[in-house]
Amino acid sequence: MLEASDLYAWYGEGQVLHGINLKVGKGQRVAILGRNGAGKTTLMKCVMNGGPRVAGRVTWEGQELGTLPAFKRARLGLALVPEDRRIFEHVTVVENIEMARYAAGPGRAAVPVNEIFERFTMLGPLASRLGGQLSGGQQQMLAVARAVAARPRLLLLDEPTEGLAPVIVEQLARDVRRTCEESGIGLMLAEQNIWFARQCTDYVYILSTGCVAFEGDWAHFDSNRETAQRFLAV
């Protein structure tokens, strides 16, 4: 479904990615692991055309995306939840979700708001609360729910557990996995929390200084603990 080929990225003169090759199949759930500065967020932004200068190819269902802007990529079925969430703090939870539904593309009806609240049960009682009045964990739930409202085919989550309490991390893992399984949504998850990544995904890439240092399923990951220790330990 999604493929990055020989992907390079720069911010100004600073190069961040060095020839990334990566695939996410239809309905597949993939974790992108790595330390801070490894290039995880930059990779997500490259997929969505969200800022870096890029060389190489990003293809979606065989179509090279080239310079296609982010809003048109969203219409194709990609949805990014950025590291800093970027919910609308001055409007309510319901209004955040309603606005996100407009990103649904042709042939993909947006998810009704009541169905979003059934999937993300924490948000229902908060429906009329302003985004800026939510806790960090509640804002993260809303950011994910907002992305799901457009009925994406591939959900990109960038460091969703950062700064969250363990109980919220557990709830988020359940909600993300169930939503992907029930709706057939693929997942590309950039994360440092290995437990969370394991709950939500089936395949792993490890980035180190902008390069792919490892790829394989979780069984392969477990049998290569030295590799994980080398590239993930702080």
Side-chain angles (χ1 to χ4, degrees):
M1 187 163 58
L2 176 78
E3 182 172 0
S5 305
D6 293 324
L7 199 63
Y8 297 79
W10 297 261
Y11 294 103
E13 297 301 316
Q15 186 170 356
V16 180
L17 300 184
H18 303 265
I20 296 289
N21 292 289
L22 174 146
K23 293 181 180 180
V24 182
K26 183 178 180 180
Q28 187 180 17
R29 299 189 299 273
V30 171
I32 314 296
L33 305 180
R35 299 187 184 99
N36 282 333
K40 303 187 301 299
T41 293
T42 298
L43 176 59
M44 294 287 196
K45 289 180 177 179
C46 289
V47 171
M48 289 302 294
N49 193 14
R53 178 165 57 91
V54 179
R57 299 178 62 200
V58 176
T59 59
W60 175 252
E61 296 188 324
Q63 173 188 350
E64 187 170 356
L65 297 182
T67 60
L68 195 72
F71 77 91
K72 290 188 176 181
R73 298 184 189 212
R75 287 283 189 174
L76 291 176
L78 291 89
L80 171 64
V81 178
E83 185 177 14
D84 53 0
R85 299 162 191 158
R86 299 194 187 182
I87 65 166
F88 298 110
E89 296 185 352
H90 62 292
V91 300
T92 66
V93 168
V94 167
E95 289 167 334
N96 265 274
I97 295 170
E98 287 283 10
M99 283 189 284
R101 297 177 73 246
Y102 285 98
R108 293 192 340 274
V111 180
V113 174
N114 66 313
E115 187 175 326
I116 291 292
F117 287 147
E118 290 172 2
R119 294 184 181 183
F120 298 88
T121 55
M122 179 184 293
L123 295 178
L126 307 172
S128 61
R129 190 172 298 183
L130 295 178
Q133 296 174 331
L134 304 180
S135 69
Q138 291 165 345
Q139 288 187 359
Q140 187 62 69
M141 287 287 189
L142 175 55
V144 176
R146 186 178 62 176
V148 171
R151 205 179 294 275
R153 299 181 60 201
L154 178 63
L155 180 63
L156 295 91
L157 299 183
D158 189 6
E159 300 276 10
T161 68
E162 185 175 10
L164 300 188
V167 66
I168 301 297
V169 171
E170 293 176 7
Q171 180 67 52
L172 185 60
R174 289 193 293 270
D175 288 346
V176 168
R177 186 175 186 91
R178 184 180 68 252
T179 296
C180 289
E181 289 177 343
E182 292 178 354
S183 303
I185 300 173
L187 176 65
M188 184 173 169
L189 169 69
E191 192 45 271
Q192 293 190 68
N193 184 325
I194 296 176
W195 178 88
F196 182 86
R198 191 185 290 269
Q199 301 308 304
C200 297
T201 64
D202 305 304
Y203 200 82
V204 184
Y205 289 86
I206 298 177
L207 297 191
S208 178
T209 59
C211 300
V212 175
F214 169 90
E215 69 168 290
D217 59 20
W218 284 105
H220 189 201
F221 177 91
D222 290 337
S223 66
N224 287 269
R225 284 294 184 177
E226 291 184 3
T227 299
Q229 182 71 18
R230 177 181 176 188
F231 293 112
L232 297 178
V234 177

